[in-house]
């Protein structure tokens, strides 16, 4: 999969900005309310605990893969489903 890393970087920066505090600082991890919503949707296992990582469910893995391709895959000129900007 050929990903548009510029779009990924922008998305990561936007998500980090949701934890903005002290004028320009952000938390390294994802906002807790986001992980709570992902858990409520059945996309990750219970995020509560000391672990610094999250475990995706099978549904979460499938959704992540599909969303990654839909939002961040680079268009190819020979792909009739995609058009160049």
């Amino acid at each position: 999969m050929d990903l548009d890393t510029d779009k990924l970087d922008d998305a990561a920066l936007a998500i980090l900005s949701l934890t903005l505090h002290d004028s320009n600082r952000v938390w390294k991890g994802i906002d807790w309310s986001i992980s709570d919503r992902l858990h409520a949707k059945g996309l990750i296992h219970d995020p509560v605990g000391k672990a610094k990582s999250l475990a995706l469910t099978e549904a979460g893995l499938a959704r992540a893969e599909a969303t990654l391709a839909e939002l961040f895959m680079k268009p190819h000129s020979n792909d009739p489903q995609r058009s160049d900007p």
Side-chain angles (χ1 to χ4, degrees):
M1 182 180 312
D2 191 16
L3 298 177
D4 186 333
T5 55
D6 289 332
K7 286 182 181 179
L8 285 167
D9 293 347
D10 287 344
L13 191 60
I15 290 169
L16 285 171
S17 75
L18 295 174
T19 66
L20 190 65
H21 63 281
D22 296 335
S23 120
N24 70 337
R25 300 193 58 80
V26 296
W27 293 107
K28 289 181 183 178
I30 195 167
D31 184 69
W32 291 355
S33 61
I34 295 171
S35 60
D36 288 344
R37 288 192 304 270
L38 293 174
H39 179 252
K41 292 176 182 178
L43 300 173
I44 63 171
H45 293 284
D46 193 351
V48 176
K50 293 182 180 182
K52 293 185 179 186
S53 63
L54 298 171
L56 297 163
T57 63
E58 282 189 41
L61 284 168
R63 177 84 175 261
E65 184 178 315
T67 302
L68 188 64
E70 179 183 339
L71 297 178
F72 300 109
M73 206 164 116
K74 288 184 178 180
H76 296 285
S77 58
N78 61 349
D79 186 349
Q81 297 295 319
R82 297 194 172 267
S83 60
D84 289 331

